[in-house]
Amino acid sequence: MTEAIYPQVRIVSARFLRPDTAEQLLNRLVQVGGIRRMSINGPSIPATVPYGPARGQPNPHPDRKVIHVGDQDVQLQVQVGTIILELEDESCISAICEAVDEVFADKDFSCTVQQGRYMKTQPTMSDYAKYGPDADKEILGLVDPRKKGGPIIIQGTK
Amino acid sequence: MAYKPQYGPGTSKVAENRRKQMNPSQKLEKMRDVTDEDIVLILGHRAPGAAYPTAHPPLAEQQEPDCPIRKIVTPTDGAKAGDRVRYIQFADSMFFAPCHPYQRTYTECYRFRGIDPGTLSGRQIVECRERDLEKYSKELVETELLDAARTGIRGATVHGHSLRLAENGMMFDMLQRSVLGEDGIVRYVKNQIGEPLDRAVAIGKPLDEKWLKAHTTIFHSLGGTPYRDDAEYIEYVQRIHSLRTKYGFMPKE
């Protein structure tokens, strides 16, 4: 769960991003700093075919890649469409807008930065029913807490 | 006076494109060349060159009951040979794909025989005898009904028609059956259910945005023809809606 005191922004591009563009954008955001948490959203790219007659077979996909963000390797499991950020304070927002504009300057599609509430602040009844009372509150509302492999921690400059 | 089908209402370009696709006397523009073997590979129902498996003996070899309907209707080649029933399924992007599920079903019903189409919001499946299917699929793939980037041949895991396009203009596909190469040509690397193919099947370059907007059958208020701009279409749909709502009350016009 998140504290409602922290501002949040959402970066939405008009097209789904290729892994190298996503890597470039995320690295630029990491340089800006002031980000507490980040969630990468988009349609899932599973490792195996999830259903249909070929269910269970491996699913080689050119966009399911490991990218390098900050000092960490990140396994992409989705085609990046939206990035949600929780910030330390509102002063970073203009720097984030600048960073996004810089990355998308040479692209032929746009990308917008919106400010609002995009992370849950308290568990819902369904969350309680699905994940029980002991679910990890740090990631509840961002991803499925039952998922193996916790969040990736990128060391800041502070 | 002989009945002359009108195919659909509307005065807009989109309505005209819809009528053109549905009207069997209008020849569909051929956009690309795909071989019979390529089609068999994409469909993935049998190995190329293999015999057609059968569901029943050929009609000529079995005793047919004395039925007046069977005397009127000539069986298709596939039915005559006793082929299995197989399918092809398409997903069309909402971003100005040349065809869309309802349109496909109408078009196929006007143009093909012995088919069983299934229409859903994001995908359209057509089932028929295997031999006929390959013939029909070839027409569906080679003509203007398909765009290499915004139409997907997807037997399963079709998700993507209502999503944003990828950076290179391809419709999202969880299984990435078709890949846009460096040379700008789209190739199918998996068959329609997502099994890798022995060799990639090229289906040509994606059509440009201008062509798609001129040939689309999808109304779109962002960048295309908005539905509200076609007054005749709206009037027709409202009339049908009103009549079917009042149907239980015995409408009189």
Side-chain angles (χ1 to χ4, degrees):
Chain A
M1 293 295 105
T2 183
E3 291 294 330
I5 52 168
Y6 297 111
Q8 293 169 13
V9 293
R10 181 168 73 170
I11 300 168
V12 187
S13 58
R15 296 260 174 124
F16 286 127
L17 304 180
R18 277 202 313 261
D20 51 339
T21 314
E23 187 174 31
Q24 193 190 347
L25 175 64
L26 293 174
N27 278 313
R28 188 68 189 75
L29 291 174
V30 168
Q31 279 173 15
V32 170
I35 298 167
R36 281 171 48 83
R37 291 193 300 170
M38 185 193 280
S39 169
I40 303 171
N41 287 347
S44 159
I45 302 174
T48 53
V49 178
Y51 42 84
R55 182 177 174 173
Q57 287 192 18
N59 176 32
H61 194 298
D63 289 351
R64 194 185 158 87
K65 264 188 186 166
V66 176
I67 59 172
H68 197 74
V69 182
D71 54 353
Q72 294 290 324
D73 283 336
V74 180
Q75 168 69 57
L76 282 183
Q77 296 171 15
V78 294
Q79 181 122 35
V80 183
T82 309
I83 298 167
I84 301 172
L85 307 173
E86 185 183 71
L87 306 172
E88 282 171 359
D89 55 60
E90 293 200 353
S91 62
C92 335
I93 296 177
S94 59
I96 284 174
C97 291
E98 266 174 42
V100 170
D101 289 344
E102 198 182 295
V103 172
F104 286 88
D106 58 337
K107 307 268 183 239
D108 53 359
F109 58 92
S110 61
C111 183
T112 51
V113 180
Q114 301 161 329
Q115 199 184 344
R117 285 259 149 245
Y118 306 108
M119 296 176 184
K120 274 186 199 172
T121 46
Q122 61 183 59
T124 59
M125 182 83 86
S126 320
D127 286 335
Y128 185 84
K130 267 197 274 184
Y131 311 123
D134 303 324
D136 183 359
K137 289 207 163 47
E138 284 299 304
I139 55 170
L140 190 64
L142 282 181
V143 289
D144 186 348
R146 288 175 302 190
K147 213 169 178 128
K148 285 184 202 118
I152 291 166
I153 296 161
I154 296 167
Q155 192 61 47
T157 47
K158 269 190 184 172
Chain B
M1 202 172 77
Y3 170 69
K4 204 166 154 245
Q6 294 173 345
Y7 299 107
T11 50
S12 58
K13 182 77 187 151
V14 172
E16 195 185 306
N17 293 339
R18 288 184 179 188
R19 282 194 291 270
K20 189 199 163 195
Q21 288 186 2
M22 283 190 261
N23 186 348
S25 60
Q26 294 253 15
K27 201 167 162 35
L28 293 172
E29 203 178 330
K30 192 170 168 180
M31 307 302 291
R32 57 190 73 80
D33 275 309
V34 181
T35 64
D36 292 348
E37 191 186 303
D38 290 347
I39 295 288
V40 172
L41 282 171
I42 294 176
L43 291 176
H45 297 310
R46 69 182 177 104
Y52 290 99
T54 54
H56 59 78
L59 292 184
E61 289 175 20
Q62 65 179 17
Q63 287 287 323
E64 289 247 65
D66 186 25
C67 165
I69 300 300
R70 289 182 200 225
K71 284 177 189 147
I72 301 169
V73 181
T74 326
T76 61
D77 291 344
K80 224 181 269 176
D83 288 352
R84 303 176 302 178
V85 171
R86 285 294 175 267
Y87 65 90
I88 185 167
Q89 183 166 258
F90 292 93
D92 300 282
S93 171
M94 284 164 63
F95 289 100
F96 313 110
C99 206
H100 63 93
Y102 263 89
Q103 176 68 19
R104 278 187 189 282
T105 295
Y106 281 125
T107 303
E108 286 161 4
C109 286
Y110 279 118
R111 286 175 183 269
F112 305 143
R113 289 184 61 226
I115 55 161
D116 177 10
T119 322
L120 297 100
S121 57
R123 60 197 167 105
Q124 191 262 7
I125 187 168
V126 58
E127 293 179 12
C128 61
R129 303 287 190 146
E130 200 163 355
R131 207 167 303 225
D132 305 331
L133 177 74
E134 284 168 15
K135 196 171 78 187
Y136 299 155
S137 301
K138 194 159 188 254
E139 193 169 336
L140 292 170
V141 171
E142 279 190 339
T143 59
E144 57 181 292
L145 294 176
L146 181 130
D147 170 44
R150 306 202 189 181
T151 307
I153 306 168
R154 305 180 179 184
T157 54
V158 294
H159 185 52
H161 85 283
S162 61
L163 302 182
R164 282 167 277 174
L165 299 173
E167 233 177 282
N168 57 10
M170 297 288 286
M171 176 167 59
F172 173 77
D173 183 4
M174 193 191 268
L175 306 185
Q176 200 72 42
R177 280 158 269 226
S178 54
V179 179
L180 180 68
E182 295 278 316
D183 51 359
I185 291 176
V186 176
R187 289 181 181 82
Y188 270 82
V189 293
K190 297 179 186 174
N191 66 14
Q192 62 171 343
I193 58 161
E195 290 166 338
L197 293 173
D198 296 337
R199 67 167 175 88
V201 173
I203 60 158
K205 291 186 175 179
L207 301 163
D208 65 73
E209 192 77 15
K210 204 173 146 205
W211 189 95
L212 285 169
K213 283 194 177 171
H215 288 79
T216 186
T217 52
I218 302 175
F219 287 107
H220 203 308
S221 56
L222 294 175
T225 311
Y227 189 38
R228 289 177 188 198
D229 285 6
D230 195 334
E232 190 182 302
Y233 223 116
I234 296 273
E235 188 191 339
Y236 167 82
V237 170
Q238 284 179 342
R239 178 165 177 267
I240 298 287
H241 178 71
S242 147
L243 287 181
R244 64 179 286 193
T245 310
K246 294 175 193 160
Y247 179 70
F249 305 106
M250 298 196 59
K252 285 196 178 83
E253 281 193 82

